[in-house]
Amino acid sequence: MGQVKVLNAEQSPFGMRVLIGLQEKGVKYEYQQEDLSSKSELLLQANPVYKKVPVLIHNGKPVSESLVILEYIEDAWSSNPFLPSNAYDRARERFWAAFVDTKVYYNGAALILKYKGEAQEEAKRNLLEYLGLLEGALNELSGGIKPYFGGKKFGFMDIAFIPFACWFVAWEAMGVWKIPLDTQFPRLHEWVNACMERESVKKSLQITAFK
């Protein structure tokens, strides 16, 4: 396997993706916690473009950006593949993983804590719309009855999205918002709980499953 090191910051959903991916593959790694207010020289050298976590360092070679890292993990370690063998199915999972970043995170979730008043309410409405689209994608990709986006198999899209479930719990605890996941998005509700039964997810996410 070679030497594997992960640079990450506490509670980073992007870093959690990397940890889940490595654990699903059975890859042993060294973990380095980063203080983003005082970034280490290793982080600045390993990711000189963005200067942020997560970074995977494999045999001295750094890989940055969480979805890119997940694809690297998939390619570098052949056991327990994340992505389906069919090219079209692989493309669909990549599409929805990118949707999580560009819509759920950048245009939805991140704005809810940043904004107040009507701007915050608009961000909430947007996020509900995105979750509705993901509910439909889960039904489509899983065949309608299987637990994961990857069908019977926990895969790439599951790893990409499940870390953001911790935000739902955090918002509720902070009194910011209670997402009606169980009533409005029942398939996503079931999916979160199914994911939380996996050891890789339990070890990587400090959240409580929806019951």
Side-chain angles (χ1 to χ4, degrees), residues 142-194:
S142 70
I145 58 173
K146 298 168 186 173
Y148 305 118
F149 280 90
K152 293 181 179 179
K153 185 173 179 56
F154 182 78
F156 187 83
M157 175 55 185
D158 303 295
I159 298 171
F161 186 28
I162 190 58
F164 291 89
C166 64
W167 285 13
F168 304 160
V169 177
W171 292 334
E172 184 172 344
M174 296 165 61
V176 175
W177 190 25
K178 177 176 174 56
I179 297 177
L181 204 65
D182 55 341
T183 57
Q184 195 164 341
F185 309 108
R187 286 287 286 115
L188 284 178
H189 179 268
E190 294 171 358
W191 169 79
V192 169
N193 284 319

Side-chain angles (χ1 to χ4, degrees), residues 84-211:
S85 57
N86 179 276
Y88 180 66
D89 291 339
R90 292 166 73 94
R92 288 197 301 171
E93 289 211 33
R94 291 185 178 114
F95 172 87
W96 285 109
F99 178 87
V100 170
D101 284 2
T102 57
K103 292 296 186 181
V104 174
Y105 177 67
Y106 286 109
N107 294 323
L111 302 183
I112 288 172
L113 293 179
K114 180 179 179 181
Y115 291 157
K116 302 295 181 183
E118 176 53 32
Q120 185 184 74
E121 294 305 311
E122 182 179 0
K124 291 178 180 179
R125 290 192 293 270
N126 288 341
L127 185 56
L128 288 176
E129 177 186 348
Y130 305 150
L131 291 176
L133 291 171
L134 286 165
E135 177 96 345
L138 177 57
N139 281 322
E140 178 187 356
L141 295 177
S142 70
I145 58 173
K146 298 168 186 173
Y148 305 118
F149 280 90
K152 293 181 179 179
K153 185 173 179 56
F154 182 78
F156 187 83
M157 175 55 185
D158 303 295
I159 298 171
F161 186 28
I162 190 58
F164 291 89
C166 64
W167 285 13
F168 304 160
V169 177
W171 292 334
E172 184 172 344
M174 296 165 61
V176 175
W177 190 25
K178 177 176 174 56
I179 297 177
L181 204 65
D182 55 341
T183 57
Q184 195 164 341
F185 309 108
R187 286 287 286 115
L188 284 178
H189 179 268
E190 294 171 358
W191 169 79
V192 169
N193 284 319
C195 290
M196 285 304 300
E197 293 300 315
R198 301 190 68 84
E199 285 301 314
S200 64
V201 177
K202 290 179 182 178
K203 291 178 180 178
S204 302
L205 274 67
Q206 300 299 315
I207 65 173
T208 303
F210 292 94
K211 298 297 184 183

Side-chain angles (χ1 to χ4, degrees), residues 29-45:
Y29 58 90
E30 178 186 352
Y31 182 88
Q32 179 169 312
Q33 184 81 16
E34 287 288 334
D35 178 358
L36 298 184
S37 65
S38 180
K39 299 173 184 177
S40 71
E41 284 300 315
L42 179 58
L43 174 59
L44 297 177
Q45 292 171 7

Side-chain angles (χ1 to χ4, degrees), residues 30-69:
E30 178 186 352
Y31 182 88
Q32 179 169 312
Q33 184 81 16
E34 287 288 334
D35 178 358
L36 298 184
S37 65
S38 180
K39 299 173 184 177
S40 71
E41 284 300 315
L42 179 58
L43 174 59
L44 297 177
Q45 292 171 7
N47 190 359
V49 176
Y50 294 113
K51 301 178 176 65
K52 64 181 183 180
V53 295
V55 176
L56 176 76
I57 303 175
H58 184 205
N59 290 331
K61 297 179 180 179
V63 184
S64 303
E65 295 297 287
S66 62
L67 292 181
V68 175
I69 295 172

